[in-house]
Each structure stands twice: as structure tokens, then as C-alpha cells.
């Protein structure tokens, strides 16, 4: 198959499938030969190993195994080189490896670093360190008021001042998005679960971590914007034992509905 033609087809597809990056890799005759030799070596080793009886036969099998490993290593080397020499496209733009990186993983990391901000456009609304998320979540389950909350709530824009008091701002982009989704489902007689919310908001354009989604949902509960249903009980506060059981346990949060 003509590589240039395939690469151009993938460039076109990248304009149509905006959330995907396409990486065309040229396969050479040398790669084809190494693939064939590796297959032959493995087939030979499997066939002969079943009938090996003598020390000489075992030695031949070991030799074949060594030969197979040699072909595999060479095939992997050539495939890595082919990937680095390939063409990658995102939204019709060339994102190919620039030749400065000799490792395929690092090349992929560079490409993803360039395109992820365009895919996960709302990621920053829920971007926080794991330790900060945990401290914030623990505070939601224990704090009697909202004074002196961990800094994560301010950094994510989840709080505002109202008459000298700190209150949660459910119009903040992240909270608004979650609340709108829950309300939309409720209007159709459906309830979102922790699992469905984590799945939805783990995808583009959000890309939020499970614990971030749980933190934001718990903020909505604490703000009185939503209720939790777990084990047949309706929970409206985050500081009760029932709330801790429903929200703090990963499995329970996944099956709880909102």
C-alpha cells in the first residue's frame, strides 16, 4: 500500500474525527522480512520442541530460540525507527515526530502534549493534585462550616463570598456542568450514578480524575443542590455517617445515585 496515499487519507480523517490523532507508519521490505523470519523461527521451535528427545535436539531448539529472539529484537528496532519516521495528524495539522526524539514513547508524549489542550478543553476546571483533592474531600465530610477550607476550593473557583460568608458557587463552570447533567437526567426520570458521572466527566472535553469528580459531586451535595440516594436512603448532608458510607467508599460512590 502506498504510504503517501494512506498518510493523506489519515490527514483527511483527522479533520473529520476531531478528537483523534492518526499516526501513519511506513512498513519496509526489511520489516516484512524480519516478521517472516520471526514467525518461521517460532513455528520451528514449537514443532521441534514437541519431539525433542536427545541433547542434540534440545541444543538445536535452544539455538532456534536464540535466533528468534535476535529477529524479534531487530524487528522491534526497525518498527521503532519506522514510527519515528512516520506521519501524524491532528485536525489536519502535521504532528509528526520532529527527529529530535529517539524514543517512541517520548515522541508520543510530545505529540499528546501538543494536542491534549485542544481535546480536553475543560480539564483545567478540575485540575488539582491528588493530595489537595483528598484534603478537600475530607473537609467536606467533617467541617461544620466553610471557614478555613483547604485552598483547592478557591483555586478551582468553587467558593465565593456572600455577605461576609463563604459559600459554594454552583455557577462555577465545573459545578455547573455536573449539575446540568444531573438535572437533565432527572428531567427525564433518570438518576445519574457516581459511576456514570465519573465515566462522562473522565472523557473529553473534561478528562477529570475519578476523585475530582467525587469531590465536585460532594460539593453539590454540601451546597444543597443535589441529593444522594444510597441503600434506599436519601442523604442531604455530607457530615452524617450515611454520607461518609456513600461517598467515601469508592464502590459505594459508584452505585449511589444523584
Amino acid at each position: 500500500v502506498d504510504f503517501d496515499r494512506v498518510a493523506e487519507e489519515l490527514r483527511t480523517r483527522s479533520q473529520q474525527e476531531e478528537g483523534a490523532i492518526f499516526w501513519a507508519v511506513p512498513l519496509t521490505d526489511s520489516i516484512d522480512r524480519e516478521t517472516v523470519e520471526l514467525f518461521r523461527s517460532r513455528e520451528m521451535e514449537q514443532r521441534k520442541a514437541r519431539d525433542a528427545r536427545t541433547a542434540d535436539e534440545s541444543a538445536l531448539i535452544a539455538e532456534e530460540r536464540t535466533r528468534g529472539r535476535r529477529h524479534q529484537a531487530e524487528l522491534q528496532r526497525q518498527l521503532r525507527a519506522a514510527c519515528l519516521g512516520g506521519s501524524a495528524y491532528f485536525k489536519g495539522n502535521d504532528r509528526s515526530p520532529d527527529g529530535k526524539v529517539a524514543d517512541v514513547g517520548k515522541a508520543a508524549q510530545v505529540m499528546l502534549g501538543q494536542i491534549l489542550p485542544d481535546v480536553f478543553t475543560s480539564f483545567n476546571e478540575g485540575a488539582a493534585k491528588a493530595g489537595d483533592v483528598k484534603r478537600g474531600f475530607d473537609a467536606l465530610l467533617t467541617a461544620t462550616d466553610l471557614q478555613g477550607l483547604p485552598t483547592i476550593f478557591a483555586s478551582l473557583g468553587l467558593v465565593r463570598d456572600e455577605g461576609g460568608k463563604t459559600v459554594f458557587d454552583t455557577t462555577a463552570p465545573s459545578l455547573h456542568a455536573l449539575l446540568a447533567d444531573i438535572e437533565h437526567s432527572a428531567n427525564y426520570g433518570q438518576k445519574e450514578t457516581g459511576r456514570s458521572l465519573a465515566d462522562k466527566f473522565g472523557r473529553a472535553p473534561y478528562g477529570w480524575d475519578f476523585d475530582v469528580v467525587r469531590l465536585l459531586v460532594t460539593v453539590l451535595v454540601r451546597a444543597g443542590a443535589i441529593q444522594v440516594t444510597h441503600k434506599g436512603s436519601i442523604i442531604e448532608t455530607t457530615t452524617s455517617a450515611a454520607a461518609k458510607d456513600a461517598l467515601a467508599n469508592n464502590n459505594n460512590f459508584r452505585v449511589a445515585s444523584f
Side-chain angles (χ1 to χ4, degrees):
V1 179
D2 181 66
F3 172 75
D4 292 334
R5 178 175 62 80
V6 171
E8 187 57 36
E9 289 176 356
L10 293 183
R11 181 196 288 272
T12 301
R13 283 187 62 187
S14 73
Q15 294 172 315
Q16 300 165 347
E17 302 176 38
E18 295 188 351
I21 184 168
F22 294 86
W23 194 346
V25 178
L27 300 181
T28 63
D29 291 340
S30 180
I31 288 176
D32 185 59
R33 286 194 298 272
E34 289 298 331
T35 302
V36 171
E37 290 302 322
L38 176 58
F39 176 77
R40 286 174 174 169
S41 182
R42 286 181 172 173
E43 283 290 296
M44 184 66 70
E45 180 186 341
Q46 290 178 3
R47 292 177 184 178
K48 296 299 183 182
R50 290 193 294 264
D51 301 322
R53 296 291 186 272
T54 66
D56 289 342
E57 289 173 333
S58 296
L60 289 173
I61 292 170
E63 184 179 331
E64 190 62 49
R65 188 176 294 120
T66 300
R67 178 175 174 272
R69 284 198 293 264
R70 186 170 63 249
H71 284 298
Q72 178 174 314
E74 178 59 19
L75 176 60
Q76 290 172 332
R77 185 193 69 78
Q78 292 192 30
L79 284 172
R80 285 193 292 267
C83 288
L84 295 172
S87 300
Y89 302 101
F90 177 73
K91 291 186 176 180
N93 297 316
D94 193 330
R95 298 296 186 187
S96 305
D98 59 11
K100 297 178 181 179
V101 179
D103 179 81
V104 175
K106 290 181 179 178
Q109 192 173 38
V110 170
M111 285 191 287
L112 291 175
Q114 293 171 337
I115 71 169
L116 285 181
D118 291 331
V119 176
F120 296 97
T121 53
S122 298
F123 175 76
N124 286 337
E125 296 166 8
K129 295 180 180 179
D132 292 337
V133 174
K134 185 180 185 308
R135 282 188 288 274
F137 180 72
D138 289 343
L140 291 174
L141 298 184
T142 58
T144 56
D145 57 49
L146 303 185
Q147 307 308 310
L149 285 174
T151 57
I152 184 174
F153 297 102
S155 64
L156 292 181
L158 306 180
V159 292
R160 59 183 173 83
D161 182 80
E162 188 177 272
K165 284 188 175 183
T166 299
V167 297
F168 287 118
D169 185 1
T170 57
T171 65
S174 57
L175 296 177
H176 176 74
L178 274 163
L179 184 57
D181 186 87
I182 294 170
E183 288 179 337
H184 180 268
S185 295
N187 289 336
Y188 285 90
Q190 301 171 346
K191 291 182 179 180
E192 292 289 348
T193 65
R195 177 180 286 106
S196 67
L197 291 171
D199 288 345
K200 288 181 183 179
F201 290 90
R203 297 192 293 265
Y206 304 99
W208 296 338
D209 183 77
F210 173 87
D211 288 334
V212 169
V213 174
R214 176 166 55 182
L215 172 76
L216 297 173
V217 170
T218 306
V219 167
L220 290 175
V221 177
R222 181 72 188 248
I226 61 174
Q227 298 174 331
V228 187
T229 301
H230 180 59
K231 295 181 179 178
S233 299
I234 295 177
I235 302 167
E236 297 178 322
T237 177
T238 63
T239 55
S240 66
K244 293 176 183 177
D245 181 49
L247 300 170
N249 180 283
N250 289 355
N251 292 329
N252 289 350
F253 174 77
R254 289 186 174 95
V255 298
S257 59
F258 303 91

